[in-house]
């Protein structure tokens, strides 16, 4: 895979106040794409190449299913060709998407999460936005639909970058991208985003306070952090540390109580901390579909008690928290 498909975004970014870092992001992305010799890369690149050329009539960014519609319904053979090419990018985890009438029913109903936060966050009109651990970019499209000037998504998982490119093959926007990067790949001086999203990332970090400090640095003073993470019950001293797996995941390290999370944010230089949502994740929101055929949440809950994971730990509950970078 070459960086050429991401270059229009990087060129556009160069014209914003973040432009000084565009060359470094280009170099880091090129290095990642060169370094990552994933065994499925050729199959994914073939899928992208086989996406049929279909003119777009309308683009939808403000509906549950992000995507586009053709000027007229596709012939059966063309629709099947499109479906098969998109299916080669399985598994699709974040969504849903609807591409020329092909409905991609993803593992996560990510639109539900968006509904929980969309009316509570600072308006995104004209903002420069960073989405850390963005997956295939679903929420980034919703941010763009909410008026963001530029949306940079980063995720080191190459399949998610390919899924973004598949969607953007039809939506053709240069004000959004998913770069194959982790926060550790970003230039250490990068800063100035108006809004930074980190959703579903904090509990995957061995050093969660370091992650919060990274997020603070990436924001301009007064910029807003939108943080979504697993939480547990308890007071400010309560933090769940899974002894091994959590809901089947090996890379879950710290699950704080909401009270503890507030203290973490304050200690890391955030102010105005407010909790806007606490929701238990259900098997209707995260589930197996034909577009994600592997095990999902239902397979990781205690069959006799859905309030517990198979490991006997509290079942997933997630909080969405807003905070601002202090002036210091």
């Amino acid at each position: 895979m070459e960086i050429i498909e991401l270059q229009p975004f990087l060129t556009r970014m160069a014209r914003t106040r973040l432009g000084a870092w565009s060359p470094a992001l280009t170099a880091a992305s090129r290095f990642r794409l060169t370094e990552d010799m994933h065994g499925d890369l050729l199959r994914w690149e073939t899928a992208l190449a086989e996406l049929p050329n279909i003119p777009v009539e309308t683009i939808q960014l403000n509906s549950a299913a992000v995507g586009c519609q053709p000027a007229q319904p596709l012939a059966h053979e063309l629709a099947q060709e499109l479906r098969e090419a998109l299916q080669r990018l399985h598994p699709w985890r974040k969504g849903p998407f609807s591409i020329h009438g092909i409905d991609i029913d993803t593992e996560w109903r990510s639109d539900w999460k968006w509904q929980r936060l969309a009316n509570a966050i600072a308006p995104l009109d004209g903002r420069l936005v960073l989405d850390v651990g963005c997956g295939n970019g679903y929420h980034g499209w919703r941010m763009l639909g909410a008026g963001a000037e530029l949306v940079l998504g980063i995720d080191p998982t190459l399949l998610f970058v390919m899924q973004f490119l598949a969607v953007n093959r039809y939506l053709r926007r240069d004000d959004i991208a998913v770069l194959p990067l982790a926060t550790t790949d970003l230039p250490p001086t990068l800063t100035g985003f108006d809004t930074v999203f980190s959703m579903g990332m904090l509990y995957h970090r061995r050093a969660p306070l370091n992650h919060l400090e990274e997020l603070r640095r990436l924001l301009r003073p007064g910029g807003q952090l939108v943080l979504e993470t697993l939480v547990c019950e308890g007071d400010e001293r309560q933090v769940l540390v899974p002894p091994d797996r959590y809901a089947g995941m090996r890379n879950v390290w710290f699950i704080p109580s909401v009270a503890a999370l507030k203290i973490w944010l304050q200690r890391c230089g955030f102010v105005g901390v407010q909790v806007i949502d606490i929701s238990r994740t259900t098997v209707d929101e995260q589930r197996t579909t034909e577009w994600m055929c592997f095990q999902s949440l239902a397979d990781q809950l205690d069959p006799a008690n859905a309030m517990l994971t198979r490991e006997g730990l509290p079942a997933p509950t997630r909080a969405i928290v807003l905070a601002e970078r202090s002036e210091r």
Side-chain angles (χ1 to χ4, degrees):
M1 178 182 173
E2 298 181 1
I3 199 169
I4 188 170
E5 294 195 67
L6 300 170
Q7 194 59 57
F9 170 85
L10 292 164
T11 300
R12 185 181 182 110
M13 181 180 177
R15 299 195 295 267
T16 73
R17 67 169 180 269
L18 303 172
W21 293 281
S22 184
L25 290 172
T26 301
S29 299
R30 182 176 288 113
F31 175 78
R32 277 286 189 176
L33 293 173
T34 303
E35 178 189 53
D36 195 333
M37 300 301 292
H38 195 287
D40 287 321
L41 181 58
L42 179 59
R43 176 168 63 87
W44 298 335
E45 289 182 325
T46 301
L48 280 180
E50 292 180 352
L51 287 170
N53 184 22
I54 305 171
V56 172
E57 175 74 11
T58 59
I59 291 175
Q60 58 225 34
L61 302 181
N62 291 318
S63 60
V66 166
C68 58
Q69 296 297 326
Q72 55 188 13
L74 302 186
H76 175 76
E77 295 79 6
L78 186 58
Q80 189 62 24
E81 181 183 350
L82 175 59
R83 172 182 288 275
E84 289 176 358
L86 292 170
Q87 275 280 9
R88 291 192 190 102
L89 297 175
H90 175 278
W92 289 79
R93 296 194 180 274
K94 291 186 178 181
F97 295 94
S98 182
I99 307 298
H100 289 309
I102 304 300
D103 295 328
I104 303 176
D105 186 16
T106 50
E107 176 187 17
W108 279 92
R109 286 298 306 265
S110 305
D111 55 310
W112 294 8
K113 186 179 298 185
W114 184 253
Q115 290 173 355
R116 295 179 189 124
L117 63 85
N119 294 325
I121 64 176
L124 295 180
D125 299 88
R127 290 202 166 207
L128 304 179
V129 180
L130 174 66
D131 189 2
V132 176
C134 65
N136 60 26
Y138 172 83
H139 286 120
W141 290 110
R142 302 303 302 269
M143 296 167 199
L144 207 61
E149 176 185 342
L150 191 85
V151 180
L152 169 59
I154 60 170
D155 199 298
T157 303
L158 190 54
L159 173 60
F160 298 154
V161 178
M162 304 297 270
Q163 290 175 351
F164 166 79
L165 291 175
V167 174
N168 202 34
R169 184 66 58 88
Y170 298 107
L171 274 59
R172 296 188 180 279
R173 299 292 292 258
D174 66 355
D175 44 6
I176 181 174
V178 174
L179 301 186
L181 305 175
T183 52
T184 51
D185 298 312
L186 298 178
T189 57
L190 177 59
T191 190
F193 289 96
D194 299 300
T195 306
V196 170
F197 288 78
S198 174
M199 299 194 288
M201 290 296 297
L202 187 66
Y203 48 86
H204 289 316
R205 298 304 182 101
R206 289 174 181 262
L209 270 66
N210 288 353
H211 181 61
L212 295 179
E213 290 174 346
E214 288 175 337
L215 300 176
R216 180 186 178 277
R217 172 180 59 79
L218 291 161
L219 281 163
R220 64 166 172 79
Q224 185 176 67
L225 171 66
V226 183
L227 179 72
E228 190 262 9
T229 187
L230 291 170
V231 292
C232 66
E233 294 184 354
D235 60 21
E236 65 276 4
R237 295 170 294 179
Q238 186 68 41
V239 178
L240 172 63
V241 181
D244 186 20
R245 292 176 181 255
Y246 175 81
M249 297 181 286
R250 287 191 179 277
N251 59 341
V252 175
W253 300 100
F254 297 93
I255 302 177
S257 67
V258 172
L261 180 59
K262 288 180 178 179
I263 293 174
W264 289 4
L265 286 162
Q266 292 162 356
R267 288 291 301 271
C268 291
F270 288 96
V271 297
V273 180
Q274 55 176 316
V275 180
I276 61 170
D277 185 79
I278 300 175
S279 298
R280 185 168 69 87
T281 305
T282 69
V283 295
D284 294 318
E285 185 173 0
Q286 184 188 11
R287 71 270 194 266
T288 297
T289 75
E290 66 171 317
W291 293 88
M292 205 300 291
C293 296
F294 304 137
Q295 289 190 344
S296 191
L297 179 60
D299 303 289
Q300 304 303 333
L301 298 178
D302 185 333
N305 183 356
M307 299 301 292
L308 298 175
T309 69
R310 283 188 173 273
E311 301 88 359
L313 300 171
T317 295
R318 295 172 177 269
I320 302 175
V321 182
L322 307 182
E324 293 182 1
R325 174 178 169 169
S326 64
E327 297 294 332
R328 70 172 176 83

